[in-house]
Every structure is written in structure tokens, then in C-alpha cells.
Amino acid sequence: GHIVRNWKVRWFVLLQDKLLYYKIEGGKKEPSPKGRILLDGCTITCPCLEYENRPLLIKLRTKTNTDYFLECCSREERDSWALDITGAIHAGHPVQVQELHRMKNSFKLLENISLHHIVERMCDSSTGIKLTRNLEQGNRYKETFTGSALVDWLISNSFAVSRFEAITLASMLMEENFIKPVGARSTEATRYSDLSEQFLDDSTALYMFAESSKKNISSKEELQFNISELSGTIVKQGFLVKQGHKRKNWKVRRFVLRADPAFLHYYDPTKEENRPVGGFSLRGCLVSALEDNGVPAGVKGNVQGNLFKIITKNDIHYYIQASSKAERAQWIEAIKPLT
């Protein structure tokens, strides 16, 4: 309400240039509208996080700077209304309508934004995600946030334009050990093999920052990876031994193979923060097994066998050892279709 700031149920009708609302009497809407919101020159905010205990809000600001707060019954309904209202606002602007459809029908993460940067923003004391205490099945968790709160925050801070995109981004934050699930609801979801199903856009699923997140924020020397590199579906992962580029020594690394986009990243298992220490695109790469009779040129140090080589399109050579011939064959078979 505008005068008394209470909340009332209204029946809304969206027209091409205005939003009408009606009083409900006896379960039916009255014949004449109670009011209208002219959409020409309006701006829309969704999700609107101005009311902490009302996460399902849409905010409309008219060109005369009058604010309307509309609360929906579910996130799906809220996002559907917001999309249709936005379409009506931009109806007279073909370029904006085209962009709206692109946002609705495609999935593209913002480029040149690192996960490190997102977590740094999340931890900001004034504009970051709000941390609360939660009770679940007798357990008391400090400084947690819900899955749906994180999705809302990512959208409202323009890191994502849809809930699907925000869920994928949140899944990446969890996969790279920036955030972790706490409690039965969110922990149970991590048993799914599909990464996109492991993070829950749910107001009962609890998450918190991993202990390593604050260490990541304080480090300025970390490699910054484009978000799109880490957004692909995980095809295969496991421990292999890799030869270093400078010292030519051999170290155990956890390799993660992703498709769409096709990348191979490797992690140092001794580092708590669990971020990639290296990686490369597989497009245009050559991968092949190396014979075990003799050490190939370019390979030094303690070689146990079961070697294979990946040559990138920039002619960088990676030498990798598997624990067995069968494992080597499995990795080569998984990598080849992605090159």
C-alpha cells in the first residue's frame, strides 16, 4: 500500500502498456480496477532484496519515481511475471525485445569475471550476501545462507540473468570449493552425479563459505580463470602424474575434463583451496599414447610408464603418466572427441 504500508492481495492483469490491479471480494475480483501502473518509462528490479524477509518481490519504479512492491507466491511465478512485464515495458523498442528473448532462450555466463571476484563481492560487509544463523534438525549453523538467497544475490548483482544461469554459477562455486553445503538438505543433493543438480535453488538448503574462501580472497597471485572455462560439464576426473614445464619434475595432479566448452584443468591436491593451478582448451589439441620402450625426447626424470602426450594448438607439450595402460586408454578415449 502507498499510504498504509501493509500488504494486500490483489488480482493483477497485464496489458500492453499498463498493469491493472483489482480488489478481491468473495473470491472474485471486482469489475472495476482499484488502480493501475503505467509501464511507459518504468524500471523493474527482480529479484528485489530490499525486504529481507520477503524474497519473492518485484519492484516497479515509474517514470515519476513512484515505487510499487509486488510479492508473488513462488520464485517461478515471480520470474515469469518479471519477464512478461519487462517485455511489455520494452514493447516499443525492438532491439530491447530481441535482447530480452536472447536472455530468455540462451545461456551464456559473463566473460572475464573470475570466481574469485564473485566470492570477494559476496563477502563484502555492506553489499555482500547476508549471513544468518540457522537451525536444522537440532543443529545450529552460524553464518549460513540459503541456496535461493545466493541465486537471488547473483541475479541482483548482475552476475547472472536467469535462475538457471545463477544455479550453474553457484554450482561452480561449490565445485571449486568456495562454498560448501551444510545440513541434510543440501548435503544430500551432492550425491547426484550431475553437477547442475548438486546445488539447490531452495530456501531450506543451507550453504556457507568454505574455510579456504577467505584465503583465496587474500591472495592476489592466483591464476584468474575465465568463468566460461569452468562452466562445462565434467566428463572425467582423476589423479594423474604430470611433468612440470620449467623444472621437468613429476607431480601428482587431479585432472578434471570438461565439455562444452572443452577444457582440461589440473589441481594441486595438497592445496586446501582446491582451485586449478593450470589448464588449457582442448580445441585443436593432439593426444596420443607414448611407447613404453625408452624415454621420449622432452621427457626427463622418473618415468614409470603409461605415458601419453597432449599438444595444444599453440604447440605446448604436456606429458602425463597414468597408473596403468587401461587408465591411459580411458583418458585418451575421453579427450579425443573433445579436440
Side-chain angles (χ1 to χ4, degrees):
H2 288 293
I3 300 173
V4 180
R5 293 289 183 176
N6 53 356
W7 296 85
K8 294 179 179 178
V9 175
R10 293 289 183 256
W11 180 268
F12 280 83
V13 176
L14 176 62
L15 302 180
Q16 186 173 0
D17 60 345
K18 64 178 72 75
L19 191 61
L20 304 178
Y21 53 94
Y22 298 77
K23 287 183 69 174
I24 303 290
E25 291 291 344
K28 296 181 180 180
K29 73 179 181 71
E30 293 188 341
S32 299
K34 175 73 174 175
R36 64 178 183 171
I37 304 171
L38 297 178
L39 297 177
D40 181 40
C42 265
T43 57
I44 183 170
T45 303
C46 179
C48 172
L49 305 181
E50 292 188 28
Y51 290 82
E52 190 172 337
N53 61 337
R54 294 183 181 271
L56 304 178
L57 288 184
I58 295 170
K59 177 183 176 181
L60 285 176
R61 172 167 288 180
T62 69
K63 64 180 179 181
T64 58
N65 289 325
T66 301
D67 290 341
Y68 291 86
F69 294 93
L70 315 176
E71 185 172 35
C72 301
C73 298
S74 67
R75 283 177 170 79
E76 292 75 18
E77 185 182 48
R78 179 195 66 185
D79 294 344
S80 176
W81 271 100
L83 189 67
D84 290 335
I85 292 171
T86 305
I89 292 172
H90 297 327
H93 307 279
V95 174
Q96 290 177 321
V97 172
Q98 186 178 5
E99 178 67 10
L100 184 70
H101 285 299
R102 184 198 70 77
M103 288 167 55
K104 180 180 179 182
N105 298 319
S106 67
F107 169 58
K108 188 176 187 300
L109 285 169
L110 294 172
E111 295 181 356
N112 301 320
I113 297 291
S114 69
L115 297 181
H116 172 88
H117 172 69
I118 293 174
V119 175
E120 195 173 43
R121 287 277 301 276
M122 286 174 66
C123 292
D124 187 278
S125 58
S126 58
T127 61
I129 192 164
K130 298 234 179 331
L131 302 178
T132 58
R133 293 186 178 186
N134 281 280
L135 287 170
E136 185 186 90
Q137 297 178 344
N139 295 313
R140 184 183 297 274
Y141 299 106
K142 296 181 179 179
E143 298 189 327
T144 64
F145 48 86
T146 66
S148 54
L150 176 54
V151 169
D152 285 348
W153 186 89
L154 289 169
I155 295 173
S156 65
N157 284 271
S158 302
F159 288 115
V161 296
S162 68
R163 301 198 79 74
F164 172 71
E165 188 169 323
I167 290 168
T168 303
L169 190 49
S171 300
M172 291 160 56
L173 290 171
M174 189 167 65
E175 169 70 10
E176 302 304 329
N177 202 36
F178 283 106
I179 64 174
K180 65 180 182 180
V182 291
R185 182 86 173 90
S186 56
T187 304
E188 176 68 23
T190 60
R191 299 181 183 180
Y192 288 102
S193 57
D194 187 352
L195 180 63
S196 64
E197 297 178 357
Q198 292 183 12
F199 181 86
L200 298 178
D201 178 10
D202 192 308
S203 60
T204 64
L206 301 180
Y207 298 87
M208 65 188 303
F209 290 111
E211 287 299 318
S212 58
S213 294
K214 293 180 181 178
K215 296 178 183 178
N216 287 338
I217 290 170
S218 64
S219 173
K220 299 300 181 183
E221 299 179 358
E222 291 192 29
L223 290 172
Q224 298 296 307
F225 290 93
N226 190 310
I227 281 180
S228 61
E229 288 187 27
L230 301 169
S231 66
T233 303
I234 294 179
V235 176
K236 185 176 177 63
Q237 57 182 316
F239 291 95
L240 298 166
V241 182
K242 173 188 164 294
Q243 180 179 261
H245 288 292
K246 294 180 180 179
R247 297 184 180 179
K248 303 297 182 182
N249 53 350
W250 293 88
K251 292 183 178 180
V252 175
R253 293 288 181 256
R254 180 172 67 87
F255 281 79
V256 177
L257 177 63
R258 293 180 172 91
D260 298 322
F263 273 83
L264 185 63
H265 291 98
Y266 48 94
Y267 301 71
D268 185 345
T270 65
K271 290 188 176 180
E272 186 183 3
E273 60 265 25
N274 194 28
R275 283 179 53 75
V277 293
F280 52 91
S281 170
L282 290 172
R283 295 301 180 199
C285 284
L286 297 174
V287 57
S288 60
L290 297 177
E291 297 300 326
D292 293 335
N293 51 348
V295 178
V299 176
K300 298 181 180 180
N302 184 21
V303 180
Q304 304 296 325
N306 307 313
L307 276 171
F308 65 98
K309 177 172 69 171
I310 301 174
I311 305 175
T312 70
K313 65 179 180 180
N314 297 326
D315 199 33
I316 299 174
H317 293 227
Y318 289 85
Y319 294 98
I320 303 168
Q321 295 185 58
S323 60
S324 66
K325 287 185 178 180
E327 185 183 45
R328 177 177 67 180
Q330 290 170 5
W331 273 99
I332 292 173
E333 186 178 335
I335 292 170
K336 271 189 175 179
L338 303 177
T339 60

